[in-house]
Amino acid sequence: MTRRHSCPVDARSYELDSFGHVNYAVYLNYFEYARYQAFADGGFSAERLAERGEAVHVVHVEVDYRHELRLGEDVVIDSELVGVRRTSMNIRQVARHPENPDHVYAEGLVVIVWIGPDGRPMRVPNDVLAALGAPVAS
């Protein structure tokens, strides 16, 4: 079982569209911020990845929008690893109300590829998998 990481995010006025709710594209920023927080909390900040010569590249995103999010409403982004292949990871992310987990604003699936020092995809490191609570490859 992988760990679920929760990250609060504030909806800011400049993220609203002409209808007064958070613009659909902003959720991609929320999801990215929450993924970086999840990695950092697991010991893999952007700085540590850079020191290792590694990077994470998004190669696919799917987002389903469920309810509008308005300025002043609370939102939490839950991120959870739901699949691992040799060089990639599937991360499910849900933007939800912090006190009512059934009230989902949007949910997405993000596929990322682990990039090595040579700029090419590499096997997802075992220490990263362990930090996310995923089974470690042998």
Side-chain angles (χ1 to χ4, degrees):
M1 188 76 179
T2 61
R3 292 181 190 90
R4 179 176 300 152
H5 182 271
S6 295
C7 177
V9 178
D10 294 326
R12 296 166 291 252
S13 60
Y14 59 84
E15 297 170 331
L16 305 181
D17 61 19
S18 60
F19 299 107
H21 57 251
V22 171
N23 183 276
Y24 70 94
V26 172
Y27 286 95
L28 297 177
N29 293 330
Y30 290 172
F31 288 165
E32 182 171 28
Y33 174 73
R35 281 193 311 277
Y36 273 95
Q37 289 301 117
F39 282 125
D41 289 351
F44 296 94
S45 65
E47 295 81 15
R48 179 151 183 234
L49 291 178
E51 288 169 4
R52 291 165 56 126
E54 298 171 3
V56 177
H57 291 188
V58 172
V59 296
H60 181 80
V61 177
E62 297 174 14
V63 181
D64 292 315
Y65 302 95
R66 305 291 183 212
H67 289 98
E68 62 184 3
L69 173 61
R70 295 189 169 275
L71 184 64
E73 291 182 311
D74 294 327
V75 64
V76 169
I77 310 299
D78 289 335
S79 302
E80 185 174 13
L81 184 64
V82 293
V84 177
R85 299 187 68 172
R86 191 171 97 57
T87 62
S88 66
M89 306 166 96
N90 296 347
I91 300 172
R92 180 173 183 260
Q93 295 189 274
V94 179
R96 63 169 178 82
H97 191 281
E99 295 165 10
N100 182 1
D102 293 331
H103 187 84
V104 173
Y105 299 107
E107 56 188 315
L109 178 68
V110 180
V111 180
I112 61 172
V113 171
W114 211 266
I115 303 297
D118 62 355
R120 299 176 48 85
M122 64 176 274
R123 180 179 297 279
V124 178
N126 283 338
D127 55 349
V128 171
L129 294 173
L132 299 174
V136 175
S138 51

